[in-house]
Structure formats: C-alpha cells, structure tokens
C-alpha cells in the first residue's frame, strides 16, 4: 500500500505540489488565527448559581436557599460534584461537570433544573448564573486613578460602574467586568424611631411610600386639534429633595407627613467587604475583565485595551486608567520564547543536514518538509480548538528532531541509488532514469520509514488516558506532538519523493567522500 502511494505521488507530481501549497496556505492562516494563551486551561467545567437573600443570616440562607438548590442540582446530567456556600445574604452553588462536557450544554441543563426548584425558594428570591468563564478567565485588571485630587472614591466608582463597565462588556470575548474598590453611591434614609412613634407610622409604611413614589405611570391619550397627547405621571427619584418630599401619611387635621419630617436623608456609601489599593499610595477604584470560555485570550486583551483607549478620551480631567494586571505580557514572553526555540531547532537541524549530506539541494528537501509538517499540525490544532501555549508549542518542539528523520533517510538512500545507477551505466543518468532511481529508493525504505514514524506518533497515546487536571495539562503537548509526527510520516511518502526528484541533481558524491 505504501509503495502504491509513493508511485501515485510520483505520477501526479503537480497534484502533490498543489496539495502541499494548499496545506501551506491553510497552515499559515491557522497559525495567524489560532488562539494564544500562556498556559492550558486546567479548570473544571463548572456553572455557578448565585442567589441574593438580603438581610438573612447564613443559617437561614443555607436552609431556605442553598440546601434546596444543591439537592436539585444533584440530579443535573453529567454533574459529578455540587458544592454549596452560604454567607450573610448570599448563596453560591458550584456545579462541577464531568470532563469534556460542553460548557453551554451544562449551563442550559442548570437553567432547566432552576425552573424546577424555583417554587421551593422564598418569595422574591431569584437565582442567577455566573459568567460563562473559567478559573483562568481573569485576563486583565485596571485601576482608575485621580491625579488631580478633585474626585473622591465614590465618583471614581460611579465612573467605573456607569461609564466603563458596560462598554467593556460589549467587547468580543468578554464575559464579565467586575467592579472593585471605591464606594457605591447610595441614597440613604436614616429614619428617626421617635418620630415614627410620635406619628404612629410603622416602618413598613415608610418602605411602601418610597417604593410607590419612585415610578412612572401612564394614562390614556388626550386628543387636541387632531393630535394625540400621551398622559404620563413622572415620578422617578432624581434628587434628595424628591425623596424628602415623599408623603408618608397625614396628621389628624390632614397635614401631610413628609419623609423629611421623620428621617435624615443624604448621600452615602454602601457597606463594603473589601477595598482596592494601588502600590501603597492609597485606595482606588477599578475593574477586573473576565474572558468568556474558549475565547482567544490575547485577542480579547487587545480588544479591551483598544476600547479603554477610546473611553479614556472622555474621562474627567485628572482621571487616568492604569493597567494593573495584563496577561498579554506573559503570553508574549512564553510564546516568543518557544517561537525562538523552534526557530533555533529548525536552523540547527538544517545546518546538520547540509553538513552531513554535503549536498545543499538535497538538504533543502529535508528543510522544506519541516515547516510544512509544523503548519499541518497547526491546521489540526485550529480545527480542534487547541490554544497555542507553552505546552502545545512544546509538543512541536519535542517532535522537530524526529520529524526530519524520514526525509534524511529517504535522501541518503536516494543518493546511494543514484550513485549506483550512474556507476553501473558509466554515464550521467537521463531524466527518466533519475526519476526511476528516486522511485526505487523511495519504495525501498518508504514502508519501513512510514511505520517507524507512526510508532513514534503513537508513543504519546498513554498521555491521552490522563484524566482531570493532569489530562488538561499534558494533552495539548501530546496532541501537537502526535499531529506533527503524523504530518512527517505522510510527507515522507508523498511530498519527499517528489521533492527529491526535483531537487537532487548534479554531482552526487560517494558515501566514503562525505565522511
């Protein structure tokens, strides 16, 4: 079978060269579009269910929210672990799925089971899913710094929450932008209990009055001069005075009791559970950019930087955006280091081929097949969705030395056959005689070379049996090394014989003269 493939390749030289050109073009496109990251994603496929139950103690949250959710999530298909955590007013449920489970399939299954359990939760409690990200999705972090001293932490946090956060969430590849630091600005109403007692007003009535006074209502239409006018009641709160003027009740003589009569109303910060501090110089506000599952980390970071540059132009004077954590530096360093090592290995292999074969055009056959085999590996990488990282590129680096073995053995055997044919005939070989010698040399060692390269190819198959984090760490290396060796085996019986016939010409030195 291998000999028939070699014969077919030598008969259809043009088709083989066109196929090689197509593979080179597809490989270059795959190389430019492959996802880049520093390390493989080792995190489990998980879905987070987040629930707020304001004002409730952890034990109440556990009994009424976390326990019903965890028991319901145990029945989710392919869920191997369910973990629940209860805090003051907050509940987190983590559903860990089996390896190779599709992230979005898992999220849809969790949503289905949330519908089943919704009637078992307290009234007004609505669980929500966390972002479609993984444990390594934290790719970029920035801080808002005021160099003018005219903006306090509450203003910086408002800029982050209302001006930067939402535009950044529109960037391709971004799952969430989490705000940190600063103070969340609030309308705060400090009710005087003595005033409530004096006017005989329960606290629930104050809450209801505020809620009812913070809404717009609509009525019917009024037609005037053949024009329709919509009737609307505008009641959204826009200032402290709007809150102060809310009527809570009336006295016995009909005088309205306003909220200002029974409470102190002012702006204030929300309760904080942490802060953001920069370089020991004081507190700042900022944001954490979380990448969506399966996205290109480097492309996402570059898009975020581009969007931040656009937004920075409209920031108040004195407010600057400073990058605090940028994974792109690590990605560039890791990938560039491996890229240089791959180039060095390729140059060393090429130099050794030239020195030992002592025939530049023959060495070119082996040298050309090396980048083509690497590009073929990148095609499969892109199709499979494997990131280019230190592990996947390391697999190619490991394979480079063995990839060129088949071409070198083919070339050496071709030299022997050409030398023997010229010696037997006592003259230079004609074109047909040279091609026949190339075919005989290729078919003589081709089958053995192909299967020897296949043996090296399958040598990493045990790595694919690794599970969990070990499998996610080492499988990219095993995949790329296998793809590169498989590409070398295919090229050895298809492209290499054609290139030998085209390039191995001129005076071929005898073996004893090249030692």
């Amino acid at each position: 079978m291998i000999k028939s493939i070699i014969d077919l390749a030598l008969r259809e030289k043009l088709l083989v060269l066109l196929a090689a050109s197509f593979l080179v073009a597809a490989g270059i496109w795959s190389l430019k579009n492959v996802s880049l990251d520093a390390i493989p994603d080792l995190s489990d496929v998980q879905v987070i269910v987040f629930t707020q139950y304001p004002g409730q103690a952890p034990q109440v949250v556990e009994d009424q929210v976390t326990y019903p959710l965890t028991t319901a999530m145990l029945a989710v298909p392919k869920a191997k672990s369910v973990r629940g955590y209860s805090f003051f007013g907050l509940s987190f449920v983590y559903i860990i799925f089996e390896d190779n489970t599709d992230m979005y399939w898992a999220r849809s299954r969790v949503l289905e089971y949330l519908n089943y359990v919704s009637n078992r939760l307290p009234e007004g409690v609505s669980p929500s899913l966390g972002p479609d990200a993984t444990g390594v999705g934290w790719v970029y972090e920035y801080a808002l710094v005021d160099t003018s001293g005219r903006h306090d932490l509450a203003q910086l946090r408002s800029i982050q929450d209302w001006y930067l956060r939402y535009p950044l969430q529109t960037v391709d590849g971004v799952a969430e932008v989490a705000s940190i630091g600063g103070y969340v600005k609030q309308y705060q109403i400090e009710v005087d209990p003595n005033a409530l007692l004096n006017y005989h007003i329960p606290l629930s009535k104050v809450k209801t009055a505020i809620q009812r006074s913070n809404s717009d209502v609509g009525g019917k239409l009024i037609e005037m001069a053949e024009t329709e006018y919509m009737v609307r009641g505008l009641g959204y709160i826009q200032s402290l005075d709007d809150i102060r003027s809310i009527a809570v009740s009336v006295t016995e003589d009909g005088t309205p009791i306003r909220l200002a009569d029974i409470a102190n109303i002012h702006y204030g910060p929300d309760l904080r559970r942490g802060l953001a501090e920069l370089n020991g110089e004081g507190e700042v506000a900022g944001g954490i950019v979380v990448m969506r599952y399966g996205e290109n980390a480097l492309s996402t970071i570059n898009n975020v930087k581009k969007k931040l540059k656009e937004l920075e132009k409209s920031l108040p004077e004195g407010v600057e955006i400073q990058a605090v954590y940028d994974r792109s530096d690590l990605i560039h360093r890791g990938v560039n280091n491996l890229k240089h090592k791959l180039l060095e290995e390729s140059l060393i292999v090429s130099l050794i081929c030239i020195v030992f074969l002592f025939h530049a055009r023959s060495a070119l056959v082996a040298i050309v097949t090396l980048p083509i085999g690497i590009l073929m590996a990148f095609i499969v990488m892109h199709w499979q969705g494997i990131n280019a990282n230190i592990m996947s590129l390391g697999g190619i680096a490991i394979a480079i030395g063995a990839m060129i073995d088949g071409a070198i053995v083919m070339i050496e055997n071709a030299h022997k056959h050409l030398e023997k044919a010229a010696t037997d005939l006592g003259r230079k070989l004609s074109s047909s005689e040279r091609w026949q010698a190339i075919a005989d040399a290729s078919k003589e060692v081709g089958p053995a070379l192909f299967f020897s390269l296949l043996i090296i190819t399958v040598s990493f198959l045990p790595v694919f049996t690794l599970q969990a984090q070990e499998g996610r760490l080492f499988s990219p290396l095993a995949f790329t090394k296998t793809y590169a060796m498989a590409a070398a085996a295919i090229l050895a019986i298809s492209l290499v014989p054609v290139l030998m016939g085209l390039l191995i010409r001129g005076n071929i030195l005898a073996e004893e003269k090249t030692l």
Side-chain angles (χ1 to χ4, degrees):
M1 177 181 174
I2 303 300
K3 293 181 180 180
S4 300
I5 294 175
I6 294 174
D7 281 333
L8 179 63
L10 291 173
R11 282 199 310 269
E12 305 293 343
K13 306 178 189 64
L14 181 59
L15 288 179
V16 172
L17 294 175
L18 287 175
S21 301
F22 173 77
L23 289 174
V24 169
I28 293 173
W29 181 86
S30 300
L31 180 62
K32 290 182 177 179
N33 291 276
V34 70
S35 297
L36 291 175
D37 208 338
I39 57 175
D41 190 348
L42 305 183
S43 56
D44 294 305
V45 177
Q46 70 175 6
V47 179
I48 304 173
V49 179
F50 168 67
T51 310
Q52 289 183 309
Y53 197 10
Q56 300 298 328
Q59 187 60 51
V60 176
V61 174
E62 173 72 21
D63 295 340
Q64 299 188 19
V65 178
T66 306
Y67 181 75
L69 287 176
T70 52
T71 53
M73 294 303 117
L74 289 172
V76 174
K78 296 187 179 182
K80 66 178 183 180
S81 177
V82 179
R83 305 166 186 169
Y85 302 90
S86 300
F87 304 93
F88 179 76
L90 299 174
S91 168
F92 291 90
V93 176
Y94 294 80
I95 302 97
I96 312 299
F97 286 84
E98 297 174 0
D99 291 345
N100 302 319
T101 302
D102 180 74
M103 167 70 79
Y104 297 100
W105 182 90
R107 290 173 67 86
S108 63
R109 298 290 81 75
V110 171
L111 282 174
E112 289 179 4
Y113 281 80
L114 281 179
N115 292 332
Y116 299 153
V117 76
S118 59
N119 59 354
R120 296 167 53 190
L121 300 177
E123 185 179 356
V125 172
S126 179
S128 59
L129 297 187
D132 51 340
T134 65
V136 296
W138 186 334
V139 295
Y140 193 82
E141 183 177 354
Y142 60 90
L144 280 173
V145 180
D146 177 32
T147 58
S148 65
R150 292 181 295 179
H151 304 87
D152 57 25
L153 290 173
Q155 292 171 325
L156 293 178
R157 180 59 182 262
S158 296
I159 293 172
Q160 158 62 21
D161 286 341
W162 302 104
Y163 178 68
L164 295 179
R165 181 181 178 184
Y166 296 117
L168 287 176
Q169 286 183 334
T170 66
V171 174
D172 289 340
V174 173
E176 182 186 29
V177 179
S179 299
I180 57 171
Y183 293 97
V184 177
K185 187 176 179 180
Q186 287 184 331
Y187 292 115
Q188 294 189 347
I189 303 171
E190 298 175 353
V191 180
D192 183 357
N194 294 323
L196 292 181
L197 182 61
N198 184 45
Y199 288 112
H200 304 289
I201 300 174
L203 187 60
S204 59
K205 193 171 183 179
V206 176
K207 179 181 178 182
T208 302
I210 296 171
Q211 291 175 339
R212 293 179 63 182
S213 298
N214 184 32
S215 62
D216 281 2
V217 295
K220 285 192 175 183
L221 300 173
I222 295 177
E223 184 177 348
M224 298 175 62
E226 299 183 355
T227 301
E228 291 183 344
Y229 295 90
M230 297 177 61
V231 178
R232 298 176 59 205
L234 305 180
Y236 281 129
I237 293 174
Q238 298 181 357
S239 65
L240 293 176
D241 290 335
D242 291 341
I243 301 177
R244 294 189 182 104
S245 62
I246 293 175
V248 180
S249 184
V250 293
T251 61
E252 293 180 356
D253 58 0
T255 303
I257 302 174
R258 300 175 305 147
L259 197 58
D261 299 328
I262 59 174
N264 178 28
I265 303 163
H266 57 85
Y267 293 117
D270 190 9
L271 179 67
R272 297 200 302 175
R273 292 298 182 92
L275 56 86
E277 192 268 350
L278 182 63
N279 297 331
E281 299 174 356
E283 291 189 46
V284 294
I288 299 172
V289 179
V290 180
M291 180 183 68
R292 184 171 286 116
Y293 168 80
E295 291 290 337
N296 187 333
L298 186 60
S299 176
T300 301
I301 294 171
N302 290 336
N303 291 335
V304 168
K305 290 180 181 178
K306 183 179 178 181
K307 177 62 74 171
L308 284 175
K309 285 185 179 180
E310 296 175 1
L311 297 172
E312 194 172 17
K313 300 175 183 177
S314 301
L315 290 177
E317 185 178 355
V319 178
E320 299 177 354
I321 299 176
Q322 293 186 12
V324 178
Y325 170 70
D326 184 356
R327 194 193 291 177
S328 63
D329 295 336
L330 177 62
I331 295 172
H332 284 302
R333 291 199 304 270
V335 173
N336 287 339
N337 181 56
L338 277 170
K339 184 171 65 175
H340 293 153
K341 295 304 178 183
L342 287 174
L343 182 61
E344 291 172 4
E345 286 187 5
S346 301
L347 291 175
I348 292 173
V349 169
S350 303
L351 181 62
I352 291 174
C353 289
I354 294 174
V355 170
F356 283 90
L357 293 176
F358 213 70
H359 192 268
R361 283 185 291 187
S362 297
L364 188 60
V365 175
I367 294 169
V368 167
T369 58
L370 191 58
I372 295 177
I374 294 174
L375 290 175
M376 290 173 66
F378 271 101
I379 293 174
V380 187
M381 279 177 60
H382 184 271
W383 172 77
Q384 192 176 352
I386 299 177
N387 289 338
N389 51 61
I390 58 175
M391 296 302 291
S392 59
L393 295 181
I396 296 177
I398 292 173
I400 282 181
M403 285 175 65
I404 206 167
D405 287 350
I408 292 175
V409 173
M410 279 275 203
I411 294 167
E412 289 180 342
N413 198 50
H415 279 210
K416 293 291 293 181
H417 276 257
L418 291 172
E419 176 194 352
K420 183 177 182 302
T423 302
D424 292 343
L425 294 175
R427 57 177 174 81
K428 288 185 178 182
L429 301 178
S430 64
S431 177
S432 59
E433 292 169 341
R434 186 169 55 81
W435 278 103
Q436 185 59 46
I438 294 291
D440 294 339
S442 300
K443 288 187 287 186
E444 184 178 21
V445 297
L449 281 176
F450 180 78
F451 289 108
S452 65
L453 290 174
L454 278 188
I455 291 173
I456 301 175
T457 300
V458 300
S459 63
F460 269 50
L461 287 181
V463 178
F464 297 126
T465 63
L466 296 175
Q467 301 294 320
Q469 292 184 345
E470 297 84 357
R472 291 190 286 272
L473 177 62
F474 292 106
S475 60
L477 182 146
F479 274 123
T480 53
K481 193 259 185 185
T482 300
Y483 298 152
M485 291 305 304
I490 294 171
L491 292 175
I493 61 172
S494 57
L495 182 62
V496 170
V498 176
L499 291 179
M500 288 195 304
L502 294 174
L503 297 177
I504 300 180
R505 299 171 182 270
N507 185 29
I508 304 297
L509 295 178
E511 182 178 358
E512 58 272 10
K513 294 183 179 180
T514 61
L515 298 176

